[in-house]
Coordinates of all heavy atoms in Angstrom, one line a residue:
D28 N 65.4 -13.6 -40.1 CA 66.2 -14.4 -41.0 C 65.9 -15.9 -40.8 O 65.9 -16.4 -39.7 CB 67.7 -14.1 -40.6 CG 68.6 -14.8 -41.5 OD1 69.0 -16.0 -41.2 OD2 69.0 -14.2 -42.5
I29 N 65.6 -16.6 -41.8 CA 65.2 -18.0 -41.8 C 66.2 -18.9 -41.1 O 65.9 -19.8 -40.4 CB 64.7 -18.5 -43.1 CG1 64.1 -19.9 -43.0 CG2 65.9 -18.6 -44.1 CD1 62.7 -20.0 -43.2
Q30 N 67.5 -18.7 -41.4 CA 68.5 -19.5 -40.9 C 68.6 -19.4 -39.3 O 68.9 -20.4 -38.7 CB 69.9 -19.2 -41.4 CG 70.0 -19.5 -42.9 CD 71.3 -19.1 -43.5 OE1 71.9 -18.1 -43.1 NE2 71.8 -19.8 -44.5
K31 N 68.3 -18.3 -38.8 CA 68.3 -18.1 -37.3 C 67.2 -18.8 -36.6 O 67.2 -19.1 -35.4 CB 68.3 -16.6 -37.0 CG 69.6 -16.0 -37.3 CD 69.7 -14.5 -36.9 CE 71.0 -14.0 -37.3 NZ 71.2 -12.6 -36.9
S32 N 66.1 -19.2 -37.4 CA 65.0 -19.8 -36.8 C 65.2 -21.4 -36.8 O 64.4 -22.1 -36.2 CB 63.7 -19.5 -37.5 OG 63.7 -20.0 -38.9
I33 N 66.2 -21.9 -37.5 CA 66.4 -23.3 -37.5 C 67.1 -23.7 -36.2 O 68.2 -23.2 -35.9 CB 67.3 -23.7 -38.7 CG1 66.6 -23.4 -40.0 CG2 67.6 -25.2 -38.6 CD1 67.4 -23.5 -41.2
P34 N 66.5 -24.6 -35.4 CA 67.1 -24.9 -34.1 C 68.3 -25.8 -34.3 O 68.5 -26.5 -35.2 CB 65.9 -25.7 -33.4 CG 65.1 -26.2 -34.5 CD 65.2 -25.2 -35.6
C35 N 69.2 -25.7 -33.3 CA 70.4 -26.5 -33.3 C 70.7 -27.0 -31.9 O 70.4 -26.4 -30.9 CB 71.6 -25.5 -33.7 SG 73.2 -26.2 -33.8
I36 N 71.3 -28.2 -31.8 CA 71.6 -28.8 -30.5 C 73.1 -29.2 -30.5 O 73.6 -29.7 -31.6 CB 70.7 -30.0 -30.2 CG1 70.9 -30.5 -28.8 CG2 70.8 -31.1 -31.2 CD1 69.9 -31.5 -28.3
H37 N 73.7 -29.0 -29.4 CA 75.1 -29.4 -29.3 C 75.2 -30.4 -28.1 O 74.7 -30.1 -27.0 CB 76.0 -28.2 -28.9 CG 75.9 -27.1 -29.9 ND1 76.9 -26.9 -30.9 CD2 75.0 -26.1 -30.2 CE1 76.6 -25.9 -31.7 NE2 75.5 -25.4 -31.2
L38 N 75.8 -31.5 -28.3 CA 75.9 -32.5 -27.3 C 77.4 -32.9 -27.3 O 78.0 -33.2 -28.3 CB 75.1 -33.8 -27.6 CG 73.6 -33.4 -27.9 CD1 73.2 -33.9 -29.2 CD2 72.8 -34.0 -26.8
H39 N 78.0 -32.9 -26.1 CA 79.5 -33.1 -26.0 C 79.8 -33.8 -24.7 O 79.3 -33.6 -23.7 CB 80.2 -31.8 -26.1 CG 81.5 -31.9 -26.7 ND1 81.8 -31.5 -28.0 CD2 82.7 -32.4 -26.3 CE1 83.1 -31.7 -28.3 NE2 83.6 -32.2 -27.2
G40 N 80.8 -34.7 -24.8 CA 81.4 -35.4 -23.7 C 82.4 -34.5 -23.0 O 83.3 -33.9 -23.6
S41 N 82.3 -34.3 -21.7 CA 83.2 -33.4 -20.9 C 84.6 -34.0 -20.9 O 85.5 -33.3 -20.6 CB 82.7 -33.2 -19.5 OG 82.6 -34.5 -18.8
M42 N 84.8 -35.3 -21.2 CA 86.1 -35.9 -21.2 C 86.5 -36.4 -22.6 O 87.3 -37.3 -22.7 CB 86.1 -37.1 -20.2 CG 85.7 -36.7 -18.8 SD 85.6 -38.1 -17.6 CE 83.9 -38.7 -18.1
D43 N 85.9 -35.8 -23.6 CA 86.2 -36.2 -25.0 C 87.7 -36.0 -25.2 O 88.3 -35.0 -25.1 CB 85.4 -35.3 -25.9 CG 85.4 -35.8 -27.3 OD1 86.4 -36.3 -27.8 OD2 84.3 -35.6 -28.0
N44 N 88.3 -37.1 -25.7 CA 89.7 -37.1 -26.0 C 90.0 -37.0 -27.5 O 91.2 -37.1 -27.9 CB 90.4 -38.4 -25.4 CG 89.8 -39.6 -26.0 OD1 88.7 -39.7 -26.4 ND2 90.6 -40.7 -26.0
V45 N 89.0 -36.8 -28.3 CA 89.1 -36.6 -29.7 C 88.9 -35.2 -30.1 O 89.7 -34.6 -30.8 CB 88.2 -37.6 -30.5 CG1 88.3 -37.4 -32.0 CG2 88.5 -39.0 -30.1
V46 N 87.7 -34.7 -29.7 CA 87.4 -33.3 -30.0 C 87.3 -32.6 -28.6 O 86.4 -32.9 -27.8 CB 86.0 -33.2 -30.7 CG1 85.6 -31.7 -31.0 CG2 86.1 -34.0 -32.0
P47 N 88.2 -31.6 -28.3 CA 88.1 -31.0 -27.0 C 86.8 -30.3 -26.8 O 86.2 -29.7 -27.7 CB 89.2 -29.9 -27.2 CG 90.2 -30.5 -28.2 CD 89.3 -31.2 -29.2
V48 N 86.3 -30.4 -25.6 CA 85.0 -29.9 -25.2 C 84.9 -28.4 -25.5 O 83.9 -27.8 -25.8 CB 84.6 -30.2 -23.7 CG1 85.5 -29.5 -22.7 CG2 83.1 -30.0 -23.5
Q49 N 86.1 -27.7 -25.3 CA 86.1 -26.3 -25.6 C 85.7 -25.9 -27.0 O 85.1 -24.9 -27.3 CB 87.4 -25.7 -25.2 CG 87.4 -24.2 -25.2 CD 86.4 -23.6 -24.2 OE1 86.4 -24.0 -23.0 NE2 85.6 -22.7 -24.6
Y50 N 86.1 -26.8 -28.0 CA 85.7 -26.6 -29.4 C 84.1 -26.6 -29.5 O 83.6 -25.7 -30.2 CB 86.2 -27.6 -30.3 CG 87.7 -27.6 -30.5 CD1 88.6 -26.7 -29.9 CD2 88.3 -28.5 -31.4 CE1 89.9 -26.7 -30.1 CE2 89.7 -28.5 -31.7 CZ 90.5 -27.6 -31.0 OH 91.8 -27.6 -31.2
G51 N 83.5 -27.5 -28.8 CA 82.0 -27.5 -28.9 C 81.4 -26.3 -28.2 O 80.5 -25.7 -28.7
K52 N 82.0 -25.9 -27.1 CA 81.5 -24.7 -26.4 C 81.7 -23.5 -27.2 O 80.8 -22.6 -27.2 CB 82.2 -24.6 -25.0 CG 81.8 -25.6 -24.0 CD 82.5 -25.4 -22.7 CE 82.1 -26.4 -21.6 NZ 82.9 -26.2 -20.4
D53 N 82.8 -23.4 -27.9 CA 83.1 -22.2 -28.7 C 82.1 -22.2 -29.9 O 81.6 -21.1 -30.2 CB 84.5 -22.3 -29.3 CG 85.6 -22.0 -28.2 OD1 85.2 -21.6 -27.1 OD2 86.8 -22.3 -28.5
A54 N 81.8 -23.3 -30.5 CA 80.8 -23.3 -31.6 C 79.5 -22.9 -31.1 O 78.8 -22.1 -31.7 CB 80.8 -24.7 -32.2
Y55 N 79.1 -23.4 -29.9 CA 77.8 -23.1 -29.3 C 77.7 -21.6 -29.1 O 76.8 -20.9 -29.4 CB 77.6 -23.9 -28.0 CG 76.5 -23.3 -27.2 CD1 75.1 -23.5 -27.5 CD2 76.8 -22.5 -26.1 CE1 74.1 -23.0 -26.7 CE2 75.8 -22.0 -25.3 CZ 74.4 -22.2 -25.6 OH 73.4 -21.7 -24.9
E56 N 78.7 -21.0 -28.4 CA 78.8 -19.6 -28.1 C 78.8 -18.7 -29.4 O 78.1 -17.7 -29.4 CB 80.0 -19.3 -27.2 CG 79.8 -19.8 -25.8 CD 78.7 -19.2 -25.0 OE1 78.3 -18.0 -25.3 OE2 78.2 -19.9 -24.2
F57 N 79.5 -19.1 -30.4 CA 79.5 -18.4 -31.6 C 78.1 -18.3 -32.2 O 77.7 -17.2 -32.6 CB 80.5 -19.0 -32.6 CG 80.5 -18.3 -34.0 CD1 81.1 -17.1 -34.2 CD2 79.8 -18.9 -35.0 CE1 81.1 -16.5 -35.4 CE2 79.7 -18.2 -36.3 CZ 80.4 -17.0 -36.4
L58 N 77.5 -19.5 -32.3 CA 76.1 -19.5 -32.9 C 75.1 -18.7 -32.1 O 74.3 -18.0 -32.6 CB 75.6 -20.9 -33.1 CG 76.4 -21.7 -34.2 CD1 75.9 -23.2 -34.2 CD2 76.2 -21.1 -35.5
K59 N 75.3 -18.8 -30.7 CA 74.4 -18.0 -29.8 C 74.6 -16.5 -30.1 O 73.6 -15.8 -30.1 CB 74.8 -18.4 -28.4 CG 73.9 -17.7 -27.3 CD 74.4 -18.2 -26.0 CE 73.7 -17.4 -24.9 NZ 74.2 -17.9 -23.5
Q60 N 75.8 -16.1 -30.3 CA 76.1 -14.6 -30.5 C 75.5 -14.2 -31.9 O 75.2 -13.0 -32.1 CB 77.6 -14.4 -30.5 CG 78.2 -14.5 -29.1 CD 79.7 -14.4 -29.1 OE1 80.3 -14.2 -30.1 NE2 80.3 -14.6 -27.9
Q61 N 75.4 -15.1 -32.8 CA 74.8 -14.8 -34.1 C 73.3 -14.9 -34.1 O 72.6 -14.6 -35.1 CB 75.3 -15.8 -35.2 CG 76.8 -15.9 -35.3 CD 77.4 -14.6 -35.6 OE1 77.0 -13.9 -36.4 NE2 78.5 -14.3 -34.8
G62 N 72.7 -15.2 -32.9 CA 71.2 -15.2 -32.8 C 70.6 -16.5 -33.2 O 69.4 -16.6 -33.4
I63 N 71.4 -17.6 -33.3 CA 70.9 -18.9 -33.6 C 70.3 -19.5 -32.4 O 70.8 -19.5 -31.3 CB 72.1 -19.8 -34.2 CG1 72.8 -19.2 -35.4 CG2 71.6 -21.2 -34.5 CD1 71.9 -18.9 -36.6
N64 N 69.1 -20.2 -32.7 CA 68.4 -20.9 -31.6 C 69.1 -22.2 -31.4 O 69.0 -23.1 -32.1 CB 67.0 -21.1 -32.1 CG 66.1 -22.0 -31.1 OD1 66.5 -22.2 -30.0 ND2 65.0 -22.5 -31.6
N65 N 69.9 -22.3 -30.3 CA 70.7 -23.5 -30.1 C 70.8 -23.9 -28.6 O 70.5 -23.0 -27.7 CB 72.1 -23.5 -30.7 CG 73.1 -22.5 -30.1 OD1 74.2 -22.9 -30.0 ND2 72.7 -21.3 -29.8
E66 N 71.0 -25.1 -28.3 CA 71.1 -25.7 -26.9 C 72.4 -26.3 -26.8 O 73.0 -26.9 -27.7 CB 70.0 -26.7 -26.7 CG 68.6 -26.3 -26.8 CD 67.6 -27.4 -26.5 OE1 68.0 -28.4 -25.9 OE2 66.5 -27.3 -27.0
W67 N 72.9 -26.3 -25.5 CA 74.1 -27.0 -25.1 C 73.8 -28.1 -24.1 O 73.1 -27.8 -23.1 CB 75.2 -26.0 -24.6 CG 76.4 -26.7 -24.0 CD1 76.6 -27.0 -22.7 CD2 77.5 -27.2 -24.8 NE1 77.8 -27.6 -22.6 CE2 78.4 -27.7 -23.8 CE3 77.8 -27.2 -26.1 CZ2 79.6 -28.3 -24.2 CZ3 79.0 -27.7 -26.5 CH2 79.9 -28.3 -25.6
H68 N 74.3 -29.3 -24.3 CA 74.2 -30.4 -23.3 C 75.6 -31.1 -23.3 O 76.2 -31.4 -24.3 CB 73.2 -31.4 -23.8 CG 71.8 -30.8 -23.9 ND1 70.9 -30.7 -22.8 CD2 71.1 -30.3 -24.9 CE1 69.8 -30.2 -23.2 NE2 69.9 -29.9 -24.4
E69 N 76.0 -31.2 -22.0 CA 77.3 -31.8 -21.8 C 77.1 -33.1 -20.9 O 76.4 -33.0 -20.0 CB 78.3 -30.8 -21.1 CG 79.7 -31.2 -21.0 CD 80.6 -30.1 -20.5 OE1 80.3 -28.9 -21.0 OE2 81.5 -30.4 -19.7
Y70 N 77.9 -34.1 -21.2 CA 77.7 -35.4 -20.5 C 79.1 -35.8 -20.0 O 80.1 -35.6 -20.7 CB 77.2 -36.4 -21.5 CG 75.8 -36.0 -22.0 CD1 75.7 -35.3 -23.2 CD2 74.7 -36.3 -21.4 CE1 74.5 -34.9 -23.7 CE2 73.4 -35.9 -21.8 CZ 73.4 -35.2 -23.0 OH 72.1 -34.8 -23.5
P71 N 79.1 -36.5 -18.8 CA 80.4 -37.0 -18.3 C 80.8 -38.3 -19.0 O 80.6 -39.4 -18.6 CB 80.0 -37.3 -16.8 CG 78.6 -37.7 -16.9 CD 78.0 -36.8 -18.0
M72 N 81.4 -38.1 -20.2 CA 81.8 -39.2 -21.1 C 82.9 -38.7 -22.0 O 83.2 -37.6 -22.1 CB 80.6 -39.8 -21.9 CG 80.0 -38.8 -22.8 SD 78.6 -39.6 -23.6 CE 78.3 -38.4 -24.9
R73 N 83.5 -39.7 -22.7 CA 84.5 -39.4 -23.7 C 83.9 -39.2 -25.1 O 82.8 -38.7 -25.1 CB 85.5 -40.5 -23.7 CG 86.2 -40.6 -22.3 CD 87.2 -41.8 -22.3 NE 88.4 -41.4 -23.1 CZ 89.6 -41.5 -22.7 NH1 89.8 -41.9 -21.5 NH2 90.6 -41.2 -23.4
H74 N 84.6 -39.5 -26.1 CA 84.1 -39.4 -27.5 C 83.2 -40.6 -27.8 O 83.7 -41.5 -28.5 CB 85.2 -39.2 -28.5 CG 84.8 -38.8 -29.8 ND1 84.5 -37.5 -30.1 CD2 84.7 -39.5 -31.0 CE1 84.2 -37.4 -31.4 NE2 84.3 -38.6 -31.9
E75 N 82.0 -40.6 -27.4 CA 81.1 -41.7 -27.5 C 79.7 -41.2 -27.4 O 79.4 -40.1 -27.3 CB 81.4 -42.7 -26.4 CG 81.2 -42.1 -25.0 CD 81.8 -42.9 -23.9 OE1 81.3 -44.1 -23.8 OE2 82.6 -42.5 -23.2
A76 N 78.7 -42.2 -27.5 CA 77.3 -41.9 -27.3 C 76.8 -42.6 -26.1 O 77.2 -43.7 -25.8 CB 76.5 -42.3 -28.6
S77 N 76.0 -42.0 -25.4 CA 75.4 -42.6 -24.2 C 73.9 -42.7 -24.3 O 73.3 -42.0 -25.1 CB 75.7 -41.8 -22.9 OG 75.0 -40.6 -22.9
Q78 N 73.3 -43.6 -23.6 CA 71.8 -43.7 -23.6 C 71.1 -42.4 -23.2 O 70.2 -42.0 -23.9 CB 71.3 -44.8 -22.7 CG 69.9 -45.1 -22.7 CD 69.5 -45.6 -24.1 OE1 70.2 -46.4 -24.7 NE2 68.3 -45.2 -24.6
E79 N 71.7 -41.7 -22.2 CA 71.1 -40.4 -21.8 C 71.2 -39.4 -23.0 O 70.2 -38.6 -23.2 CB 71.9 -39.9 -20.6 CG 71.4 -38.5 -20.1 CD 72.2 -38.0 -19.0 OE1 73.3 -38.5 -18.6 OE2 71.8 -37.0 -18.4
E80 N 72.3 -39.4 -23.7 CA 72.4 -38.5 -24.8 C 71.5 -38.8 -25.9 O 70.8 -37.9 -26.5 CB 73.9 -38.5 -25.3 CG 74.2 -37.6 -26.5 CD 75.6 -37.8 -27.0 OE1 76.1 -38.9 -26.9 OE2 76.2 -36.8 -27.4
I81 N 71.3 -40.1 -26.2 CA 70.4 -40.5 -27.3 C 68.9 -40.1 -26.9 O 68.2 -39.6 -27.7 CB 70.5 -42.0 -27.6 CG1 71.9 -42.3 -28.2 CG2 69.4 -42.5 -28.4 CD1 72.3 -43.7 -28.3
E82 N 68.6 -40.3 -25.6 CA 67.3 -39.9 -25.2 C 67.1 -38.4 -25.3 O 66.0 -37.9 -25.7 CB 67.0 -40.4 -23.7 CG 66.9 -41.9 -23.6 CD 66.9 -42.4 -22.2 OE1 66.9 -41.5 -21.2 OE2 66.9 -43.6 -22.0
Q83 N 68.1 -37.6 -25.0 CA 68.0 -36.1 -25.2 C 67.8 -35.8 -26.6 O 67.0 -34.9 -26.9 CB 69.3 -35.5 -24.6 CG 69.3 -34.0 -24.7 CD 68.2 -33.3 -23.9 OE1 68.0 -33.7 -22.7 NE2 67.4 -32.5 -24.5
I84 N 68.4 -36.4 -27.5 CA 68.2 -36.2 -29.0 C 66.8 -36.5 -29.3 O 66.1 -35.7 -30.0 CB 69.2 -37.0 -29.8 CG1 70.6 -36.5 -29.6 CG2 68.8 -36.9 -31.3 CD1 71.7 -37.5 -30.1
G85 N 66.2 -37.6 -28.8 CA 64.9 -37.9 -29.1 C 63.9 -36.9 -28.6 O 63.0 -36.5 -29.3
K86 N 64.1 -36.4 -27.4 CA 63.2 -35.4 -26.8 C 63.3 -34.1 -27.6 O 62.3 -33.4 -27.9 CB 63.6 -35.1 -25.3 CG 63.3 -36.2 -24.4 CD 63.8 -35.9 -23.0 CE 63.8 -37.0 -22.1 NZ 64.4 -36.7 -20.8
W87 N 64.6 -33.7 -28.0 CA 64.8 -32.5 -28.8 C 64.1 -32.6 -30.1 O 63.4 -31.7 -30.5 CB 66.3 -32.3 -28.9 CG 66.6 -31.0 -29.6 CD1 66.7 -29.8 -29.1 CD2 66.9 -30.8 -31.0 NE1 67.0 -28.8 -30.0 CE2 67.1 -29.5 -31.2 CE3 66.9 -31.7 -32.1 CZ2 67.5 -29.0 -32.5 CZ3 67.2 -31.2 -33.3 CH2 67.5 -29.8 -33.5
L88 N 64.2 -33.7 -30.8 CA 63.5 -33.9 -32.1 C 62.0 -33.8 -31.9 O 61.4 -33.2 -32.7 CB 63.9 -35.3 -32.7 CG 65.4 -35.3 -33.3 CD1 65.7 -36.8 -33.7 CD2 65.5 -34.4 -34.5
Q89 N 61.5 -34.5 -30.9 CA 60.0 -34.4 -30.7 C 59.5 -33.0 -30.4 O 58.5 -32.7 -30.9 CB 59.6 -35.3 -29.5 CG 59.7 -36.8 -29.9 CD 59.4 -37.7 -28.7 OE1 59.4 -37.3 -27.5 NE2 59.1 -38.9 -28.9
S90 N 60.3 -32.2 -29.8 CA 59.9 -30.9 -29.5 C 60.0 -29.9 -30.7 O 59.5 -28.8 -30.7 CB 60.7 -30.3 -28.3 OG 62.0 -30.0 -28.7
H91 N 60.7 -30.4 -31.7 CA 61.0 -29.5 -32.9 C 60.3 -30.0 -34.2 O 60.5 -29.4 -35.2 CB 62.5 -29.3 -33.1 CG 63.1 -28.4 -32.1 ND1 63.6 -29.0 -30.9 CD2 63.2 -27.1 -31.9 CE1 64.1 -28.0 -30.2 NE2 63.8 -26.9 -30.7
I92 N 59.7 -31.2 -34.1 CA 59.0 -31.7 -35.3 C 57.5 -31.5 -35.2 O 56.9 -31.7 -34.2 CB 59.4 -33.2 -35.5 CG1 60.9 -33.3 -35.8 CG2 58.6 -33.8 -36.6 CD1 61.4 -34.7 -36.0

């Protein structure tokens, strides 16, 4: 199935006060159970972006383009 071959990345702050981290984990697990190629990365931060997270996105994009 073509949709299952499209990679997906999940990045979430472990202290996110807007979107509970469990929601992100649940989405990741659901897609994993569906056979979707996805990754989970969690960072010690709230609902924000960090330099480490941005660098991870760059690495992920480079490995998939």
Side-chain angles (χ1 to χ4, degrees):
D28 185 271
I29 187 110
Q30 291 176 329
K31 290 183 180 179
S32 68
I33 298 171
C35 180
I36 188 170
H37 302 261
L38 306 124
H39 209 103
S41 60
M42 299 174 285
D43 192 325
N44 60 335
V45 176
V46 179
V48 70
Q49 192 59 52
Y50 289 5
K52 288 179 181 179
D53 290 347
Y55 165 77
E56 288 297 331
F57 175 79
L58 292 174
K59 184 178 171 183
Q60 290 172 3
Q61 303 306 309
I63 303 297
N64 174 16
N65 71 137
E66 295 179 26
W67 173 263
H68 297 274
E69 191 171 320
Y70 302 90
M72 61 185 193
R73 297 177 73 124
H74 191 77
E75 58 193 303
S77 69
Q78 185 63 38
E79 181 183 8
E80 182 183 32
I81 292 167
E82 289 171 7
Q83 180 63 49
I84 293 167
K86 290 176 191 175
W87 184 84
L88 285 170
Q89 287 178 341
S90 71
H91 291 90
I92 295 178

